[in-house]
Amino acid sequence: MSSGGLELSVIVPAYNEEVRIVVTLQRTLDYLEKHHPEFELIVADDGSTDGTADLVTSLAARAPRLRLLRSPRNQGKGAAVRRGMLDATGRWRLFMDADLSTPIEELEKLLGIGAQGFDVVIGSRGLAESDIRERQPFPREAMGRTFNAIVRVLLMGGYKDTQCGFKLFSAAAAEEVFSRQTLDGFAFDVENLLLARELGYRVKEVPIIWYHAPNSKVSPITDSSRMLRDLIGLRLRAAKGRG
């Protein structure tokens, strides 16, 4: 959907987040109402089987700038983010994780960089200036570092952290990039950064505050193997495109 009169859209992908979704949404609503009153907050529910959708619907009845997009089945975080970003109407579109591992206040940092002429601004845990207030368990942190190293070897350098769930897109970049996205799983971030580069958008990686949140939806075994497979697919696609 084309951008309208709204300044900002915030998209929260969610799958079985009934334990924390209300706290996340209320904190986000409070902040946006105070600092960015021309906003919409979209929950892209990825086929949750718990009470997530009902809780969002109940809160939206009292918060008209909140709305729910619900998928009938679980497809993956990439699918949920794509749905939200393409349904959004804001001139700037942020997607953020439901666990608030990056505080919503970090939005100002990304918007400030966007105002300097960048089309895509990505939060990063991997820069020297990044402020990691609570670290992940070592095996999960090592898995993330390994994944980013594989990305640099197979596909592209220049980024310390492609997977942080706090990314800002201009409306034009969001519509061009997400309409071309093919991956539904966690490797969608990498595909979208590749697409942004191919389309000529200016991308900036910035340090953010970050806290590890328990109950991650990433499975070290199942999702790691799928992400590796997706990276290899992107590499083959890139090689074919150059052929």
Side-chain angles (χ1 to χ4, degrees):
M1 186 177 295
S2 299
S3 97
L6 291 178
E7 172 198 0
L8 178 68
S9 299
V10 176
I11 294 89
V12 181
Y15 177 64
N16 290 347
E17 293 285 1
E18 66 178 8
V19 171
R20 54 192 172 194
I21 193 66
V22 172
V23 172
T24 293
L25 295 178
Q26 192 60 68
R27 177 175 168 183
T28 304
L29 284 165
D30 291 345
Y31 182 82
L32 295 176
E33 286 169 355
K34 181 177 181 180
H35 297 281
H36 299 280
E38 293 301 314
F39 78 94
E40 63 179 346
L41 179 58
I42 301 171
V43 176
D45 181 80
D46 189 27
S48 293
T49 57
D50 65 358
T52 298
D54 290 338
L55 289 169
V56 175
T57 299
S58 178
L59 183 57
R62 309 188 303 274
R65 291 193 177 273
L66 169 65
R67 58 191 176 96
L68 173 70
L69 294 178
R70 190 172 190 185
S71 172
R73 62 185 178 86
N74 179 246
Q75 294 177 282
K77 182 181 179 182
V81 173
R82 178 176 62 233
R83 190 180 308 114
M85 294 292 268
L86 293 178
D87 197 78
T89 62
R91 293 189 295 274
W92 288 101
R93 303 175 190 182
L94 174 83
F95 74 83
M96 55 175 269
D97 288 339
D99 59 15
L100 271 182
S101 51
T102 301
I104 184 60
E105 291 80 6
E106 291 294 270
L107 166 65
E108 306 311 322
K109 189 181 298 179
L110 274 62
L111 285 171
I113 297 295
Q116 297 175 21
F118 289 91
D119 309 287
V120 181
V121 189
I122 65 172
S124 176
R125 300 161 294 185
L127 297 171
E129 304 86 354
S130 301
D131 186 357
I132 309 302
R133 303 276 175 96
E134 183 176 340
R135 306 200 76 88
Q136 300 178 84
F138 178 76
R140 191 171 293 276
E141 187 169 308
M143 181 181 75
R145 289 179 178 175
T146 301
F147 179 83
N148 280 299
I150 294 171
V151 169
R152 289 193 291 271
V153 170
L154 285 183
L155 291 164
M156 59 181 173
Y159 302 114
K160 295 291 187 181
D161 180 11
T162 61
Q163 300 308 111
C164 180
F166 201 81
K167 292 183 172 69
L168 181 73
F169 289 72
S170 69
E175 290 170 9
E176 290 285 340
V177 168
F178 284 88
S179 64
R180 289 170 169 80
Q181 177 193 319
T182 64
L183 298 180
D184 291 341
F186 290 105
F188 80 97
D189 291 281
V190 177
E191 181 183 26
N192 286 344
L193 290 174
L194 282 170
L195 287 167
R197 281 189 170 186
E198 290 169 3
L199 292 165
Y201 288 112
R202 297 186 67 200
V203 182
K204 179 72 172 179
E205 183 177 17
V206 300
I208 43 85
I209 295 171
W210 191 84
Y211 298 83
H212 168 66
N215 303 317
S216 169
K217 297 298 188 294
V218 182
S219 166
I221 298 175
T222 304
D223 289 315
S224 293
S225 59
R226 180 181 179 182
M227 290 164 76
L228 180 58
R229 184 187 69 222
D230 285 343
L231 291 184
I232 292 171
L234 290 174
R235 180 68 180 86
L236 293 173
R237 193 169 81 189
K240 184 178 179 181
R242 291 194 296 268

